Amino acid sequence: MTDQFAADIVTWSYPDPYTRYSLLDADPEFFMHPSNGYLALVDDTGQLIGYRCFGVEGRVPGYDYDDEALDTGGGLRPSLTGQGLGRQSIAVGLAYGQEHLGPDAFRVTVASFNVRAQRVVQSLGFAHHATFNATTDGTQYDVFVLRA
C-alpha cells in the first residue's frame, strides 16, 4: 500500500445500497500501517483497482470470531464494481494470503443484503457458516469459510 493508493481509497464512495462501504473521510495512514493488514490490488498497468485486508480488519463487530480461520475482506474501486472483477480480486487475495500467511482456512463476512458478493465468495468455494447482526448498527451479516 502506497501513500498515493491510500489517499485514493479514502475518496471512494459507493451508490445505494452499498454506501456502507464508502471510505470517505477515513484516515489514509490507517491503510498504510502494516499491522492493519491492507494490501493494494493493481492492474497490469499499475493502476489501483481495489484492496484486500487480512486479520481483524476483515471482521464485523457482533460475531464471536475465533482463530480457526484467517479473516479477509476488501473492496473494488466503485467504478469497477458489478463488472465481474470481484471473483478475480478475491482469488488474488486468497493466493497471496495462502502464500504469505498459510492459514488452514479463510473466513469472509458479507452483509446479508449483498447477494452479489455472496455469490462471488460461494463461487470460490466458501461455505455459509453463520448469520449474525452487527452490534454497530444491527445490519445482518453472513459468515463464510473456505478450507485452504
Side-chain angles (χ1 to χ4, degrees), residues 73-131:
L76 283 174
R77 178 180 295 285
S79 63
L80 298 177
T81 61
Q83 298 181 25
L85 297 173
R87 188 174 198 284
Q88 182 179 2
S89 70
I90 294 171
V92 166
L94 294 174
Y96 177 91
Q98 189 61 49
E99 180 179 339
H100 295 278
L101 304 168
D104 292 330
F106 289 99
R107 182 174 42 223
V108 295
T109 303
V110 181
S112 296
F113 77 84
N114 194 344
V115 177
R116 187 167 66 186
Q118 289 191 17
R119 277 193 301 245
V120 169
V121 298
Q122 288 175 318
S123 77
L124 288 164
F126 281 84
H128 188 267
H129 184 71
T131 301

Side-chain angles (χ1 to χ4, degrees), residues 3 41 50 52-53 55 68 87 99 101 111 125 129 138 140 147:
D3 293 351
L41 291 175
R52 298 300 307 161
C53 64
E68 297 295 314
R87 188 174 198 284
E99 180 179 339
L101 304 168
H129 184 71
Q140 184 173 307
R147 299 283 167 210

Side-chain angles (χ1 to χ4, degrees), residues 11-129:
T11 68
W12 292 1
S13 178
Y14 297 88
D16 283 332
Y18 306 102
T19 54
R20 72 180 55 256
Y21 302 120
S22 296
L23 297 168
L24 300 174
D25 300 323
D27 181 1
E29 293 292 322
F30 178 82
F31 294 95
M32 294 176 40
H33 198 283
S35 67
N36 292 330
Y38 281 85
L39 302 166
L41 291 175
V42 296
D43 65 14
D44 293 338
T45 67
Q47 296 297 308
L48 178 68
I49 62 169
Y51 65 89
R52 298 300 307 161
C53 64
F54 295 97
V56 297
E57 287 306 312
R59 296 179 175 182
V60 174
Y63 183 68
D64 187 21
Y65 292 95
D66 58 31
D67 292 331
E68 297 295 314
L70 176 62
D71 294 287
T72 184
L76 283 174
R77 178 180 295 285
S79 63
L80 298 177
T81 61
Q83 298 181 25
L85 297 173
R87 188 174 198 284
Q88 182 179 2
S89 70
I90 294 171
V92 166
L94 294 174
Y96 177 91
Q98 189 61 49
E99 180 179 339
H100 295 278
L101 304 168
D104 292 330
F106 289 99
R107 182 174 42 223
V108 295
T109 303
V110 181
S112 296
F113 77 84
N114 194 344
V115 177
R116 187 167 66 186
Q118 289 191 17
R119 277 193 301 245
V120 169
V121 298
Q122 288 175 318
S123 77
L124 288 164
F126 281 84
H128 188 267
H129 184 71

